[in-house]
Amino acid sequence: MSTTIKEEKETASLLDSTQVVIKEALDKLGYSEEVFELLKEPLRMLTVRIPIKMDDNTTKIFTGYRAQHNDAVGPTKGGIRFHPEVDEEEVKALSMWMSLKCGIVNLPYGGGKGGIICDPRQMSIGELERLSRGYVRAISQIVGPTKDIPAPDVYTNSQIMAWMMDEYSRIREHDSPGFITGKPLVLGGSHGREKATAQGVTICIEEAAKRKGIELKGARIIVQGFGNAGSFLAKFMHDAGAKVIGISDAYGAIYNQDGLDIDYLLDKRDSFGTVTTLFDHTITNQELLEQDCDILVPAAISNQITKENAHLIKAQIVVEAANGPTTLEATKILTERNVLLVPDVLASSGGVTVSYFEWVQNNQGYYWEDEEVQTKLKALLVNSFNQIYEMSETRKVDMRLAAYMVGVRKMAEASIFRGWV
Ligand code: NAD
């Protein structure tokens, strides 16, 4: 699965806090109340009920959602998560985050998101395939390569994308690789998709380190979480000559001022990103966040840096690989303490950027080498970082608000040009 998080739900008030910052960003940019009314919730939210024949011959009805936040800029885009805790409000908020990410990287998309209430860990492969196909049949009217393009998210992977693409192609009666991204390479997937999020985080770390005058070679880095995002990132940092001095998983953290043996840890971790259980001497995740370091990367779950511990963070740079690891109060405290915070909507946008590259390659039927993907990803993200940093400096706002201002601007402008507000 693309992500195997065990914690599970993002924050309860994700929608509220997203709306608060969007409102603040629109106000700062001078947009009217009507623009906020338009952007404060998705334009469309489809709820579907999907009957699936289970292996024991009973029929189970699953509930699924697809939210399309705003398609003024272009088709909507965003992942589909399979999770027991998926709910309407979460899907709505996540579609809005996708809009912001697409705006930040200047992709020709608005945000979308989907989810099905289910526990894929308790389902057979056959049941998962029938559910994936059933979901596509249920939402087929509102999705498509020029309408809304799904992708993997929590507990969905390239196999699920392949089934969904096949089902959509059958419905439309022609091959439609551009319907969905995150596919296996042989079905039109892109090089670099799996490591894209960590690559994006790496680019943000490089740029933030330059701003703080920190030499990456020898810099002391702590990474919370050792799953897809955290483990690739630890490897990239290690290869860049940085000293990864702490990592963690759901069970605890390991820390060594002289640097950890990342290759050993990568070799030993399991498919859920667990490795600390092999060590006798561990510290807690909270203790890890407070250790002395230059760069801290929360890459696990939400709400890790709060008003309770923000003043104890010693890092000069915090780069949010995870979704929502820092609360709005903690953002304020860190900014006041002159910590350079690179917000999630920028730092974790590498995934959607390479998804966009996949869609472009599908549309043109011409595929790029990994190097070309990396070069293009770097160019886009460096540009986004610079824009947000400059916005933060010139408008004297924190990096999160600056990122929202950059992210929401194009969408607001496109909605006005279309005459929607
Ligand atoms: P993952 O499931 O592969 O790994 C999660 C890691 O966090 C594991 O090491 C797990 O042990 C650890 N963890 C789980 N609960 C924890 C807890 N309570 N305390 C400390 N650690 C805990 O997930 P991932 O794909 O690496 O995603 C990590 C974060 O990055 C999530 O917030 C996700 O939404 C975000 N993100 C991921 C991607 C991506 O492409 N993978 C893209 C954008 C955002």
Side-chain angles (χ1 to χ4, degrees):
M1 302 293 147
S2 79
T3 137
T4 51
I5 281 201
K6 288 186 231 112
E7 42 122 0
E8 316 267 26
K9 222 156 127 56
E10 316 278 348
T11 75
S13 61
L14 201 59
L15 184 59
D16 291 344
S17 58
T18 308
Q19 287 173 337
V20 165
V21 191
I22 286 186
K23 172 88 175 87
E24 222 179 316
L26 289 169
D27 286 349
K28 282 265 175 213
L29 291 167
Y31 286 108
S32 66
E33 186 66 27
E34 281 96 344
V35 178
F36 174 66
E37 281 302 312
L38 178 74
L39 299 181
K40 74 176 189 188
E41 292 222 8
L43 286 176
R44 273 179 292 280
M45 177 75 191
L46 179 65
T47 302
V48 293
R49 299 183 74 235
I50 314 157
I52 297 298
K53 196 65 91 193
M54 305 303 279
D55 289 349
D56 63 4
N57 229 16
T58 58
T59 296
K60 205 169 158 189
I61 315 292
F62 291 87
T63 300
Y65 305 100
R66 186 73 195 170
Q68 298 173 342
H69 176 231
N70 184 287
D71 53 9
V73 171
T76 45
K77 172 114 196 69
I80 298 166
R81 60 176 56 181
F82 283 10
H83 196 280
E85 308 277 320
V86 162
D87 66 40
E88 199 175 321
E89 189 174 306
E90 180 187 67
V91 174
K92 279 184 183 176
L94 292 171
S95 75
M96 293 160 71
W97 278 23
M98 288 307 300
S99 279
L100 292 164
K101 288 187 191 188
C102 294
I104 284 168
V105 194
N106 199 18
L107 308 180
Y109 295 138
K113 202 78 182 188
I116 303 178
I117 305 170
C118 66
D119 190 347
R121 293 161 296 189
Q122 310 293 328
M123 295 170 70
S124 72
I125 293 288
E127 289 167 345
L128 272 176
E129 177 175 352
R130 292 193 288 279
L131 181 60
S132 304
R133 291 181 183 279
Y135 177 70
V136 171
R137 286 194 297 276
I139 65 166
S140 68
Q141 290 303 315
I142 65 159
V143 289
T146 56
K147 282 187 183 173
D148 180 15
I149 306 125
D153 196 81
V154 175
Y155 287 144
T156 53
N157 59 13
S158 58
Q159 173 61 78
I160 290 175
M161 299 304 109
W163 290 323
M164 290 186 170
M165 191 275 276
D166 183 65
E167 190 65 26
Y168 185 82
S169 297
R170 286 187 197 197
I171 294 168
R172 294 282 175 255
E173 296 184 339
H174 55 77
D175 191 34
S176 303
F179 156 64
I180 205 162
T181 59
K183 303 179 292 295
L185 270 182
V186 70
L187 289 180
S190 177
H191 282 292
R193 179 64 183 84
E194 203 193 1
K195 58 186 178 184
T197 299
Q199 291 279 16
V201 178
T202 301
I203 294 163
C204 289
I205 291 176
E206 287 166 355
E207 293 307 305
K210 279 188 216 157
R211 296 304 192 293
K212 279 283 185 188
I214 295 175
E215 180 72 46
L216 206 50
K217 202 164 167 36
R220 297 162 309 147
I221 300 191
I222 289 178
V223 183
Q224 184 195 30
F226 208 59
N228 174 285
S231 66
F232 270 119
L233 178 73
K235 174 74 178 150
F236 294 155
M237 288 294 103
H238 178 68
D239 292 349
K243 209 194 274 182
V244 182
I245 59 172
I247 62 110
S248 74
D249 56 33
Y251 301 93
I254 49 175
Y255 173 79
N256 182 341
Q257 287 181 39
D258 298 325
L260 298 168
D261 184 346
I262 296 302
D263 289 326
Y264 173 80
L265 296 173
L266 287 171
D267 187 47
K268 295 292 175 198
R269 64 145 190 180
D270 68 14
S271 61
F272 292 96
T274 305
V275 73
T276 65
T277 43
L278 301 174
F279 294 80
D280 290 333
H281 185 69
T282 57
I283 58 176
T284 66
N285 266 280
Q286 279 308 311
E287 285 166 342
L288 181 74
L289 297 176
E290 295 163 17
Q291 298 300 315
D292 196 12
C293 67
D294 301 307
I295 301 166
L296 174 63
V297 184
I301 56 170
S302 54
N303 284 331
Q304 293 304 288
I305 307 178
T306 64
K307 65 177 190 302
E308 315 302 332
N309 64 355
H311 59 286
L312 299 172
I313 302 294
K314 306 209 175 45
Q316 295 182 60
I317 297 172
V318 174
V319 181
E320 297 181 330
N323 280 329
T326 315
T327 63
L328 296 184
E329 292 111 319
T331 301
K332 201 160 173 266
I333 297 170
L334 292 178
T335 307
E336 279 164 9
R337 292 185 52 226
N338 203 24
V339 175
L340 177 49
L341 176 88
V342 184
D344 44 17
V345 282
L346 166 63
S348 69
S349 59
V352 66
T353 307
V354 176
S355 267
Y356 162 63
F357 294 161
E358 180 173 333
W359 177 78
V360 169
Q361 292 170 77
N362 295 150
N363 290 346
Q364 65 187 6
Y366 177 72
Y367 290 85
W368 311 339
E369 296 298 330
D370 190 45
E371 202 184 325
E372 189 168 355
V373 172
Q374 301 312 323
T375 310
K376 287 185 155 74
L377 175 65
K378 184 153 188 170
L380 283 181
L381 288 201
V382 168
N383 183 40
S384 304
F385 185 98
N386 288 337
Q387 271 190 53
I388 290 169
Y389 190 81
E390 206 181 301
M391 179 74 87
S392 156
E393 293 279 295
T394 56
R395 302 296 297 266
K396 309 253 176 297
V397 295
D398 65 53
M399 285 284 282
R400 189 179 313 286
L401 181 52
Y404 273 57
M405 287 165 77
V406 171
V408 85
R409 201 168 40 184
K410 204 166 122 186
M411 200 166 33
E413 217 173 300
S415 300
I416 293 169
F417 267 124
R418 282 180 183 265
W420 292 355
V421 271

